[in-house]
Amino acid sequence: MDQIILPEGYVPSDGEEFMNANQLEYFRKKLIDWKKDLLEDTNRTIEEMQNSSLQRPDVTDRASEETDRAIELRTRDRMRKLINKIDAAMRRIDEGEYGYCEVTGDPISLKRLEARPIATMSLAAQEQHERKEKTHKD
């Protein structure tokens, strides 16, 4: 695939063909940058955790640090799952499926993709899914 160079300041708009080459490249870059930021945060956290010591003499300090570590590990796990979703979105770009609702096949609005580039459902399908989930949960 040829490298597409986006015009400076390019932002997808409703006035152009949906999921044209520029839009796909725009969202690919957005996803790559997001993943890069998450990986940098993860590496920084790992370094900090390796450099910190749980050998605090005070039991309260040690407990507090262990709690902080547990919270940080949960956050990192959420980031790992998010990275998997980013990778899946990039696969959908490669396969020509990006930007289309996996339930209805309809286009996902550019506004929604801008806010959540890993979205797999249109807003209407997502709301219906959440209502159904809530009903089954109750």
Side-chain angles (χ1 to χ4, degrees), residues 55-87:
Q55 302 303 318
R56 304 242 188 249
D58 182 64
V59 176
T60 307
D61 288 345
R62 215 172 25 242
S64 177
E65 189 165 328
E66 286 175 11
T67 300
D68 291 347
R69 276 180 175 240
I71 291 169
E72 193 60 44
L73 288 172
R74 280 196 305 272
T75 301
R76 294 300 144 213
D77 188 51
R78 282 195 300 277
M79 285 186 170
R80 179 187 56 78
K81 291 174 183 171
L82 185 53
I83 288 169
N84 288 338
K85 289 179 180 184
I86 291 170
D87 289 341

Side-chain angles (χ1 to χ4, degrees), residues 3-108:
Q3 176 68 25
I4 295 170
I5 298 173
L6 294 172
E8 191 170 329
Y10 174 80
V11 178
S13 71
D14 291 328
E16 56 188 318
E17 180 187 345
F18 188 71
M19 287 302 127
N20 64 53
N22 282 347
Q23 288 183 358
L24 290 171
E25 187 59 27
Y26 173 85
F27 286 110
R28 180 190 316 275
K29 183 177 179 345
K30 189 174 187 81
L31 289 162
I32 288 170
D33 290 348
W34 191 10
K35 181 178 177 179
K36 182 177 159 246
D37 290 345
L38 289 171
L39 291 172
E40 286 173 0
D41 285 350
T42 299
N43 289 335
R44 194 172 26 258
T45 299
I46 290 169
E47 286 176 22
E48 289 171 5
M49 290 177 83
Q50 287 173 340
N51 292 335
S52 73
S53 169
L54 286 177
Q55 302 303 318
R56 304 242 188 249
D58 182 64
V59 176
T60 307
D61 288 345
R62 215 172 25 242
S64 177
E65 189 165 328
E66 286 175 11
T67 300
D68 291 347
R69 276 180 175 240
I71 291 169
E72 193 60 44
L73 288 172
R74 280 196 305 272
T75 301
R76 294 300 144 213
D77 188 51
R78 282 195 300 277
M79 285 186 170
R80 179 187 56 78
K81 291 174 183 171
L82 185 53
I83 288 169
N84 288 338
K85 289 179 180 184
I86 291 170
D87 289 341
M90 291 196 309
R91 273 192 304 278
R92 287 193 305 279
I93 288 173
D94 293 339
E95 294 166 0
E97 299 171 2
Y98 184 80
Y100 295 91
C101 179
E102 67 182 10
V103 175
T104 65
D106 294 333
I108 299 172

Side-chain angles (χ1 to χ4, degrees), residues 106-125:
D106 294 333
I108 299 172
S109 73
L110 291 173
K111 192 182 242 184
R112 177 162 169 73
L113 289 171
E114 185 69 40
R116 187 156 178 82
I118 58 173
T120 59
M121 290 186 256
S122 65
L123 189 55

